[in-house]
Amino acid sequence: MSDHDFSGIDWQTARYDDREFTPGDPYEVARLGKRISDTARLIEEQAGKLNNLVDGNGWDSDAGREFTKKTGETVKLLSQSHQRYAAAGAALGSSVPYEPIADTVRENWATALNHAQNRVRSALKKAAAADADSSNYQKQIDQHPSSSDSHPDKQKLKRQKEASDGDLDAAKRELRAALDYRDTQAGYAAKAIRDAIDHDGLKDPEHHWWDNWKDWVADIGHWAGVAAAVLGVLALALSWVPVLGEVLAALALIASVVALVCDTISALDGKGTWLDVAIDAVGVLSFGAGRVLGTTAKEAATAARGASAVKDLQLAREIGLNPTAARELAETLNGVKPGEIGKALSEGPTKLLPRMRSVVKESLNLKAFATDIRDAPAVRRAAEAFAESAPKLSEVADSSFKTMAGQAKALYYGSQVLPLLAGWSNLAHTHPDEPWGTGPNFLQGAKEIPGIGAGGTPFYNWHWSTSG
């Protein structure tokens, strides 16, 4: 007999169909079993009709023989299906008998469950009575006027309480036996159904990893979004490190594109929303904007130094230096390469607008990111040499280029931080055991607003919000 633990059971309120005893409705089980048995009979009838259809003359032709062959295969499948349904129907049962049955007999589940529940009812009734008597005797013992344990009335009450405790233990044993019967009969029913499935000749369809491809796409999109957020933050924080900053930015871009593709598929399927796609698209475009604005800031700073060099050139000429000496002095003071003051002045304004018009192109231009990675060491060396001989931007004479440099730098950080924050806030867990940081899902409330949380394909599976 198994050791069922009844600690904590309130015997006065316990019910036979509580979860720890015998939950379920045997009559519902019987109704299900009858439907399954009826289905088995229907399959058997249809198989017989198909056999009768081709049994006889008139099929002696190529078409007839082919039809007979196909019909025979169908009849075989129907017969195998009949075996599965018949076994399941028999294991569940189709009625609940009222007459007592023997505990050792193998029964269908509806009959066994009903019998187990009757046994549990009886055991619980005895347990409740014994528990009540035991509590009553103990109360009388506690309230007895005599303080002597040897008082005859107390001794009688103790014996009565011990008898009630014994009755409670006996009721518990009956209850354990009933639950053992329940478990044994449930095992019989489950084994009968499993044996029918395993040996009826039908092969269940083989499951492949791509059967759940929609879930895979959603998972890949989610973790690509997590990777894009982490890599984007690292790229922003380490943008000053040669090569590493550029590599992190390129990896973040790739992760963002993967998230965009996966979220688009999920949105079309109705599993995701078009708000997810929009946020991903902004994230991808932010990398192009970052390249544009970052380059613009650098070029505007160079142009600002060029403007300062021009002023120094004018001052040098005013104190009497010849043109060549004045130019060389201005270039040296401002860190501009020999003969390139004009180029420094032209780079900022001439390249800004064309680059701003090609943000999308810059966003998906992986070759440009590869070029950035390749050129990063040389650019770093040039910048260090420039910094040694040139004044800081804050010390450069005021000019429109200096203002442009400051604005472009502010816009650069804004173009990266805001999409990163939006993308991270939109992350939602695909599995319950993920850490909070990988799916704060702050935008879920917005997605329940009609229109904002729309998803799916029009005229197919479209929905206006995640709430339905």
Side-chain angles (χ1 to χ4, degrees):
M1 183 179 294
S2 61
D3 185 20
H4 294 278
D5 183 15
F6 298 134
S7 60
I9 297 295
D10 183 356
W11 299 108
Q12 302 306 313
T13 60
R15 286 178 49 85
Y16 71 94
D17 55 356
D18 286 343
R19 182 173 58 85
E20 60 268 36
F21 297 134
T22 49
D25 185 342
Y27 293 93
E28 287 297 326
V29 174
R31 275 191 283 270
L32 175 61
K34 186 176 186 304
R35 285 200 298 271
I36 294 176
S37 296
D38 289 343
T39 301
R41 284 190 291 273
L42 180 61
I43 292 173
E44 187 176 31
E45 290 174 4
Q46 297 306 315
K49 290 179 179 178
L50 281 176
N51 262 331
N52 293 335
L53 181 64
V54 296
D55 185 18
N57 300 323
W59 297 98
D60 189 14
S61 65
D62 291 341
R65 283 187 289 272
E66 183 64 23
F67 181 80
T68 301
K69 177 182 176 182
K70 292 296 183 182
T71 301
E73 294 173 355
T74 302
V75 169
K76 180 181 178 182
L77 288 174
L78 287 173
S79 299
Q80 292 167 336
S81 299
H82 165 262
Q83 295 174 23
R84 180 174 294 192
Y85 277 89
L92 292 176
S94 56
S95 63
V96 181
Y98 291 99
E99 65 274 11
I101 60 175
D103 292 349
T104 56
V105 176
R106 179 171 178 171
E107 299 287 354
N108 60 65
W109 179 234
T111 300
L113 178 59
N114 183 63
H115 182 57
Q117 288 184 341
N118 288 333
R119 292 183 60 182
V120 170
R121 280 194 190 94
S122 175
L124 287 178
K125 184 177 180 180
K126 294 177 182 178
D131 177 68
D133 289 342
S134 178
S135 297
N136 183 45
Y137 292 136
Q138 183 62 52
K139 183 178 180 180
Q140 293 182 56
I141 293 171
D142 294 339
Q143 295 177 349
H144 196 278
S146 175
S147 59
S148 174
D149 290 338
S150 60
H151 191 282
D153 289 343
K154 271 194 173 182
Q155 291 294 319
K156 181 180 178 181
L157 289 171
K158 287 182 177 179
R159 288 192 297 271
Q160 290 174 321
K161 182 182 184 306
E162 289 173 356
S164 297
D165 290 341
D167 291 341
L168 180 58
D169 290 338
K172 289 181 181 179
R173 287 192 294 272
E174 289 184 25
L175 186 57
R176 290 189 178 94
L179 297 182
D180 287 341
Y181 170 82
R182 173 205 65 185
D183 294 341
T184 300
Q185 294 292 336
Y188 288 152
K191 185 176 185 301
I193 295 173
R194 174 52 56 191
D195 287 346
I197 292 174
D198 290 342
H199 302 101
D200 60 5
L202 282 175
K203 291 185 178 180
D204 292 331
E206 184 179 358
H207 292 282
H208 303 281
W209 65 267
W210 55 79
D211 292 340
N212 299 320
W213 68 270
K214 296 177 183 178
D215 294 332
W216 279 84
V217 168
D219 287 345
I220 293 172
H222 169 65
W223 287 110
V226 173
V230 173
L231 291 169
V233 171
L234 292 175
L236 192 61
L238 300 175
S239 59
W240 57 274
V241 180
V243 180
L244 179 59
E246 289 78 10
V247 169
L248 289 172
L251 293 176
L253 171 62
I254 293 172
S256 297
V257 172
V258 172
L260 174 60
V261 172
C262 291
D263 285 349
T264 301
I265 295 173
S266 294
L268 288 169
D269 180 57
K271 191 178 183 70
T273 70
W274 291 108
L275 178 61
D276 301 328
V277 177
I279 291 174
D280 291 342
V282 171
V284 170
L285 291 176
S286 71
F287 289 100
R291 290 196 72 253
V292 170
L293 295 168
T295 303
T296 299
K298 294 175 183 177
E299 292 173 349
T302 302
R305 287 184 171 86
S308 180
V310 169
K311 292 184 179 181
D312 290 338
L313 174 61
Q314 292 172 344
L315 290 173
R317 289 286 292 148
E318 289 176 3
I319 63 174
L321 293 179
N322 62 53
T324 301
R327 189 189 72 249
E328 290 176 353
L329 176 62
E331 291 171 346
T332 301
L333 290 175
N334 292 279
V336 181
K337 293 181 180 181
E340 294 193 357
I341 291 179
K343 180 180 179 182
L345 286 169
S346 66
E347 280 188 343
T350 58
K351 290 190 177 181
L352 177 61
L353 293 178
R355 285 181 176 275
M356 289 301 289
R357 288 198 300 267
S358 59
V359 169
V360 175
K361 180 180 178 181
E362 291 286 341
S363 301
L364 303 176
N365 189 354
L366 293 177
K367 183 178 179 181
F369 280 88
T371 301
D372 289 345
I373 296 172
R374 183 196 65 196
D375 295 343
V379 172
R380 179 67 175 179
R381 288 192 298 270
E384 290 174 348
F386 186 87
E388 290 177 359
S389 59
K392 295 181 179 178
L393 188 60
S394 59
E395 301 171 357
V396 174
D398 290 336
S399 70
S400 60
F401 302 118
K402 181 179 178 180
T403 302
M404 185 185 298
Q407 292 174 344
K409 187 174 181 180
L411 288 172
Y412 165 71
Y413 283 107
S415 72
Q416 304 303 294
V417 172
L418 295 179
L420 280 173
L421 184 60
W424 174 74
S425 300
N426 189 47
L427 290 174
H429 290 154
T430 56
H431 299 285
D433 56 347
E434 293 180 31
W436 175 83
T438 63
N441 200 19
F442 290 142
L443 301 183
Q444 179 57 39
K447 295 177 184 178
E448 295 177 0
I449 301 174
I452 296 178
T457 305
F459 309 110
Y460 173 59
N461 59 352
W462 181 264
H463 56 80
W464 284 102
S465 69
T466 57
S467 59

